[in-house]
Amino acid sequence: MSVAGRTASYEELLGAAGAVAADLAALGPVRAFAVTATASLETVAAVVGGLLAGVPCVPLPPDAGPAERDHILRDSGARLIEVDFARRAPAASAAPTAQAAGPEDPALILYTSGTTGAPKGVVLSAAAITADLDALAAAWEWSAQDTLVHGLPLFHVHGLVLGVLGALRTGSRLVHTGRPTPEAYAEAAAAGGSLYFGVPTVWSRIAAAPQAAAALSRARLLVSGSAALPTPVFRDLERLTGHRPVERYGMTETLITLSGRAGGEVRPGAVGTPLTGIRTRIAAEPGAEIGELQLVGPTLFSGYLGRPEATAAAFTEDGWFRTGDIAAVDGDGVHRIVGRASTDMIKSGGYRIGAGEIENALLDHPRVQEAAVIGVPDADLGERIVAFVVADGVSGAELTDFVATHLSVHKRPREVRFIAAVPRNAMGKPQKRLLLAGE
């Protein structure tokens, strides 16, 4: 295992994690513990130590402001601990034979981004995590022969659950690059990287660095997630690396539930089919092709910490989880995510329109670097389609006409606004609410 340039064997990790578990045991009954989740061996040892001790870990974003940090610690009741990776517990005491927690007990408490209020603690059980990792190992043909490469934050599902616990679960080697730069990914390829994780921002930067992208031709599988991968980036990666990147879909509350398959047909803009044990349905109005994606399965969270009403509201009366994402399903069961119900479902002139479809059309224009589409109130249409784009040498009228030639005419933007950059969070997801914040 290598994290940000520091290397350790799994035996050394187990010893350091055992020391963390011993420290937690010495504290007496502990509801949860927190660690500042830097890209480091200390973070990995803390999470594994919590699993050994049966005490849920709360990873704190290293860049969290004082208010967010205080809220997470207060809400979770977690004790903040420091980890010294050099400390080792004897192999016997580091073994997980004394684990106090069962598979349904809390293993991790990950906090949401707080876009709809104060961040909520999402309680994930060991059973949900193992079910998800085993399903992904089957879908991606992920084994101990792989070397997983990524540089993602260790306080999200993508970087921590998939990117660390997934490697430990499968026994594959892990190379965390510290930062997900094209140069770091290319260097890892030379060292034998076979399975790569990235978010769209990472992949777009790699696609813009042809030499680095070419180095990834040695890989076995490229995986993209946490936000939609723009079709032009998909095509550039295919041209430069020879790989069609697999997209997958998930949430903190559900872990990963949909994915393309290694060796299977992979299409741009599609997030594949349900993983083992997952069932999906589309809650659409009569005659509509798109609607809210709802699902059930063994990977779902145990609930929002201390918020039974919010937990109940997240499910339908018959027990399906409401993702809040708008999706469509092709005839062969392949899913496409077209946006969030709260920001990306636009009702204009009697039509229900997914913003993601328009964004992909805009990104197909050679002069458009970024695009975000929203609906704004309109007295005539109900909502007016407004596109925010990062582009040079093209007019709004030209982009409107461009979309109209690619999609149905009623999906064309009624207004195009040029901006310097689309606001995004740490995982590269657009923060659309900020687009109109200055108005």
Side-chain angles (χ1 to χ4, degrees):
M1 170 181 293
S2 174
V3 181
R6 295 167 60 201
T7 301
S9 68
Y10 281 166
E11 289 76 16
E12 290 172 325
L13 170 61
L14 184 59
V20 172
D23 288 345
L24 292 172
L27 292 175
V30 178
R31 177 180 175 183
F33 76 100
V35 63
T36 302
T38 57
S40 65
L41 290 172
E42 283 74 18
T43 298
V44 178
V47 172
V48 176
L51 293 174
L52 295 177
V55 180
C57 179
V58 181
L60 288 171
D63 60 349
E68 179 183 3
R69 190 181 182 89
D70 290 348
H71 165 75
I72 292 175
L73 290 173
R74 184 173 58 254
D75 185 73
S76 65
R79 290 277 298 271
L80 181 63
I81 69 167
E82 299 291 334
V83 178
D84 179 2
F85 192 82
R87 289 186 60 215
R88 300 281 190 273
S93 63
T97 54
Q99 180 175 334
E104 300 298 335
D105 291 323
L108 289 173
I109 302 173
L110 303 182
Y111 273 76
T112 63
S113 59
T115 55
T116 58
K120 298 188 289 290
V122 175
V123 181
L124 297 171
S125 69
I129 292 170
T130 55
D132 200 54
L133 295 178
D134 289 348
L136 288 172
W140 298 340
E141 299 176 0
W142 186 1
S143 73
Q145 281 67 53
D146 277 306
T147 294
L148 170 63
V149 179
H150 75 92
L152 302 173
L154 298 189
F155 50 90
H156 287 294
V157 166
H158 199 164
L160 178 60
V161 177
L162 276 62
V164 172
L165 298 183
L168 296 175
R169 181 73 175 172
T170 60
S172 62
R173 183 170 178 247
L174 169 63
V175 176
H176 190 290
T177 60
R179 295 181 62 245
T181 64
E183 296 76 18
Y185 274 40
E187 183 178 345
S194 60
L195 176 61
Y196 282 77
F197 291 169
V199 298
T201 300
V202 172
W203 293 125
S204 65
R205 290 174 180 172
I206 289 173
Q211 280 191 317
L216 270 60
S217 62
R218 307 171 190 173
R220 182 180 66 80
L221 190 69
L222 311 182
V223 178
S224 183
S226 298
L229 183 68
T231 298
V233 176
F234 180 101
R235 292 172 180 159
D236 286 344
L237 287 172
E238 181 180 15
R239 175 175 54 84
L240 293 166
T241 70
H243 294 289
R244 295 170 68 85
V246 165
E247 289 194 72
R248 87 308 181 275
Y249 167 82
M251 301 174 63
T252 307
E253 291 91 337
T254 67
L255 300 178
I256 308 307
T257 52
L258 301 165
S259 179
R261 303 301 197 267
E265 182 183 0
V266 177
R267 310 172 193 166
V271 293
T273 55
L275 296 178
T276 301
I278 301 295
R279 290 186 293 143
T280 66
R281 71 184 185 188
I282 304 297
E285 294 182 357
E289 296 181 353
I290 59 176
E292 183 188 42
L293 174 66
Q294 300 176 356
L295 50 86
V296 291
T299 69
L300 267 65
F301 71 140
S302 303
Y304 293 114
L305 183 67
R307 289 173 168 79
E309 292 183 359
T311 301
F315 290 84
T316 63
E317 291 185 359
D318 55 348
W320 291 68
F321 179 76
R322 306 174 189 269
T323 67
D325 283 317
I326 304 304
V329 182
D330 296 340
D332 54 2
V334 174
H335 290 57
R336 292 181 294 109
I337 306 298
V338 298
R340 289 291 292 170
S342 57
T343 56
D344 296 325
M345 174 64 81
I346 302 171
K347 298 178 181 179
S348 181
Y351 295 100
R352 293 167 64 87
I353 302 162
E357 188 177 21
I358 304 170
E359 289 162 358
N360 265 331
L362 285 165
L363 289 168
D364 259 343
H365 194 286
R367 295 191 176 274
V368 174
Q369 288 84 51
E370 294 185 83
V373 171
I374 63 173
V376 300
D378 184 274
D380 178 46
L381 297 169
E383 286 187 300
R384 181 174 76 258
I385 300 172
V386 177
F388 292 79
V389 300
V390 179
D392 291 314
V394 64
S395 69
E398 288 173 308
L399 292 178
T400 295
D401 292 342
F402 182 80
V403 172
T405 62
H406 281 61
L407 304 175
S408 300
V409 173
H410 68 263
K411 296 179 180 179
R412 71 192 186 282
R414 299 297 179 126
E415 181 181 352
V416 175
R417 303 185 189 182
F418 293 93
I419 56 177
V422 173
R424 300 179 185 274
N425 65 13
M427 295 302 290
K429 294 183 179 180
Q431 303 295 284
K432 294 189 176 182
R433 289 180 176 84
L434 299 179
L435 291 171
L436 297 174
E439 296 191 352

